[in-house]
Amino acid sequence: MQQPRASRVGELEFYRIPVWAGWMGMGRRGDPLDHQALRILIIVLCLPAVSCQCRILKCNSEYLTATSGLHVGAEESLEFCIALRAYSQCTRKTARACRGDLAYHSAVHGIEDLMSQHNCSKVGPTHAPPRTQPTSLDCMVHSDAPEVCNYEKSLQQHTPPPNYTHCGLFGDPHLRTFTDDFQTCKVRGAWPLIDNNYLFVQVTNVAVVQGSSATATSKLTVIFKNFQECVDQKVYQAETDDLPAAFVDGSRNGGEKHGANSLRVTEKVAGQHIEIQAKYIGTTIVVRQVGRYLTFAVRMPEEVMNSFEDNQGLQLCLKGCPTNERMDWRLPQLVKAGSGRPPSRARAPHEAFTHEAATAKCREKLPVDDLYFRSCVFDLLTTGDVNFTLAAYYALEDVKNLHSNKDKFHIYQRTADPPPGNSAPGQPSLKALAIKHLLLICWLWCYLTHL
């Protein structure tokens, strides 16, 4: 028998399975050996080696149940076609999770061959899935989730409510850390936002404008680590123009454990806005695509945020961007004082904004003059992409939904020192302070000498 050949698509492996000669040469149409061969193959493939997330075993079981006791003949061919259509429909629903599964691809080829041999139309009625008792091969989600799978309920009585923290990343990109520090960073390439005992989040940033250090997020990877009887390890991955409403394995919850529903992916706006609720760690994640780039926001208990080893590595949401990766915020001030247009190195293929035009555009969505507003102006001047206005607007909206302290929704000044030679908006540079002190000394000297 010809061996399957393995190929790679991205990071997933799938197999090109040749149509088995046994199905093509079983004799004349209607020969019961055709179906018998498929049934034997299904039984062989129903070994526990297949991943539960793929759910091909469920499709196999439903087909066997539907065709049990049937014998291929003129009077019963319609029933077989109905069962095969239902089988095909079931495999299509689990296709994404089964892309690298040998049993899945074997079943798909078997269905196609049998439908062709028996002139089964691909359009027509299908049996409803039979109500069978759950078996050890089924991936069941239990409703009786243990209390440990709900973070707030698992807290002991008479203890103070948890202190929630927030982190967000949006635009060029601008970072709001768990401690409400606000920074603008370069961080080109892959960088970890969060890396604790329960959760890992990494973003990949790409250049927005050729010749400029401005970057924005084009890819996001979130890994929920295996946790007790609540959830299996789950991976969520989004990229530009691909904001899925499911984990990488095709599921929307935490897997087959008792507390699986304590982790869920919900699609708010197709292709634009998803939300992941991880109740077992009291965490909410919001991912959006605005224009060509992604935004990220998270609400997390302080206890979960601090659950990491000392050697666990860099976390931008916790410690901020490295000093040498922070961007110079002086560009808007230089533009305002100069020609009124961004320097040539920052010109974008989009509309070129003057400082006045960028300010007016950002004012439409962000009436408060805080750092979200100034980030919007900064992004329009450095990229010319009007979508960054919406990115700043939605970032602030996510703060309002996720931050536990309404008095801290807006940030008016940076709380961390800028890199040497740089200054944050609204803060005097060291050089300016030195000049002020020198002028004050001169004034005092003149005053004292004339007494």
Side-chain angles (χ1 to χ4, degrees):
M1 183 177 66
Q2 184 180 354
Q3 294 298 318
R5 293 175 296 164
S7 300
R8 296 195 65 82
V9 175
E11 296 179 357
L12 297 177
E13 193 170 79
F14 71 101
Y15 294 85
R16 297 193 183 98
I17 309 297
V19 178
W20 288 23
W23 288 337
M24 296 183 66
M26 282 291 183
R28 64 186 181 281
R29 181 183 302 165
D31 193 328
L33 290 178
D34 293 357
H35 284 276
Q36 189 64 26
L38 180 57
R39 292 172 66 84
I40 292 172
L41 176 64
I42 290 173
I43 293 171
V44 171
L45 293 176
C46 277
L47 297 175
V50 179
S51 166
C52 253
Q53 293 305 324
C54 176
R55 297 184 183 273
I56 189 60
L57 300 181
K58 179 174 178 288
C59 299
N60 295 344
S61 177
E62 290 175 359
Y63 175 76
L64 290 173
T65 302
T67 57
S68 179
L70 290 179
H71 301 283
V72 177
E75 68 280 2
E76 291 186 308
S77 60
L78 178 61
E79 290 296 317
F80 273 108
C81 287
I82 290 174
L84 285 168
R85 278 194 294 268
Y87 194 7
S88 178
Q89 185 181 74
C90 184
T91 59
R92 286 197 300 272
K93 289 180 179 179
T94 193
R96 179 170 181 171
C98 297
R99 284 178 292 183
D101 197 292
L102 179 60
Y104 165 79
H105 290 284
S106 298
V108 168
H109 281 289
I111 294 168
E112 292 176 353
D113 190 54
L114 286 172
M115 290 186 75
S116 174
Q117 289 186 34
H118 297 281
N119 286 331
C120 294
S121 171
K122 293 184 178 181
V123 178
T126 60
H127 275 310
R131 297 182 176 273
T132 57
Q133 293 296 321
T135 68
S136 60
L137 294 178
D138 291 329
C139 296
M140 303 299 295
V141 175
H142 300 272
S143 59
D144 55 340
E147 195 172 78
V148 71
C149 297
N150 188 310
Y151 179 78
E152 293 187 353
K153 289 183 178 180
S154 67
L155 297 176
Q156 294 182 356
Q157 292 183 350
H158 310 299
T159 59
N163 180 33
Y164 287 95
T165 59
H166 164 75
C167 175
L169 187 78
F170 69 97
D172 205 359
H174 307 286
L175 172 70
R176 179 171 181 159
T177 70
F178 284 130
T179 55
D180 294 317
D181 181 18
F182 199 97
Q183 303 170 1
T184 294
C185 311
K186 293 178 289 187
V187 288
R188 187 170 182 173
W191 290 80
L193 291 181
I194 300 171
D195 185 8
N196 58 43
N197 295 342
Y198 308 99
L199 183 67
F200 176 80
V201 180
Q202 177 178 281
V203 292
T204 301
N205 300 322
V206 296
V208 177
V209 180
Q210 187 176 4
S212 171
S213 56
T215 63
T217 302
S218 64
K219 183 176 181 180
L220 173 77
T221 301
V222 184
I223 301 176
F224 294 90
K225 301 175 183 179
N226 185 68
F227 181 73
Q228 297 182 12
E229 63 263 50
C230 300
V231 299
D232 297 316
Q233 177 171 294
K234 290 288 176 175
V235 179
Y236 179 83
Q237 193 167 84
E239 297 184 64
T240 297
D241 296 330
D242 183 15
L243 192 67
F247 294 108
V248 169
D249 61 14
S251 65
R252 294 195 177 197
N253 63 16
E256 57 188 281
K257 294 187 177 181
H258 286 279
N261 283 330
S262 64
L263 175 62
R264 297 196 67 84
V265 180
T266 304
E267 186 175 60
K268 298 296 186 179
V269 180
Q272 297 180 32
H273 179 193
I274 70 99
E275 185 172 296
I276 305 176
Q277 289 280 354
K279 291 184 178 180
Y280 68 101
I281 52 174
T283 296
T284 300
I285 291 176
V286 176
V287 183
R288 302 177 186 267
Q289 177 169 331
V290 185
R292 294 286 300 163
Y293 304 105
L294 305 178
T295 70
F296 168 83
V298 63
R299 180 179 188 259
M300 177 181 292
E302 195 173 59
E303 179 187 9
V304 176
M305 177 194 73
N306 289 322
S307 63
F308 60 90
E309 306 299 329
D310 292 338
N311 60 350
Q312 207 143 337
L314 178 66
Q315 301 183 58
L316 299 190
C317 275
L318 187 65
K319 302 176 182 179
C321 301
T323 301
N324 62 347
E325 291 290 335
R326 299 181 195 174
M327 287 187 66
D328 192 344
W329 271 77
R330 294 178 297 173
L331 178 60
Q333 284 78 13
L334 290 176
V335 171
K336 186 174 182 180
S339 64
R341 290 192 178 275
S344 59
R345 69 177 181 85
R347 291 185 187 275
H350 309 277
E351 176 185 357
F353 282 88
T354 64
H355 189 277
E356 291 73 19
T359 300
K361 188 64 180 178
C362 293
R363 190 76 69 191
E364 294 174 5
K365 287 289 186 180
L366 300 159
V368 178
D369 186 4
D370 61 0
L371 288 189
Y372 288 91
F373 169 78
R374 297 192 183 188
S375 297
C376 173
V377 174
F378 182 91
D379 291 351
L380 291 187
L381 291 174
T382 55
T383 70
D385 187 347
V386 71
N387 287 303
F388 283 110
T389 304
L390 289 176
Y393 168 77
Y394 285 124
L396 183 57
E397 290 300 299
D398 289 336
V399 170
K400 294 176 181 178
N401 291 327
L402 300 176
H403 205 290
S404 58
N405 188 345
K406 66 178 182 179
D407 295 330
K408 293 186 178 180
F409 289 171
H410 300 278
I411 298 181
Y412 296 96
Q413 62 182 6
R414 287 163 51 94
T415 56
D417 293 332
N422 290 0
S423 60
Q427 290 185 321
S429 66
L430 293 176
K431 184 177 180 180
L433 288 173
I435 292 174
K436 286 183 178 179
H437 282 91
L438 182 60
L439 291 173
L440 179 60
I441 291 171
C442 290
W443 181 84
L444 286 172
W445 182 82
C446 292
Y447 176 78
L448 292 173
T449 55
H450 286 79
L451 285 177

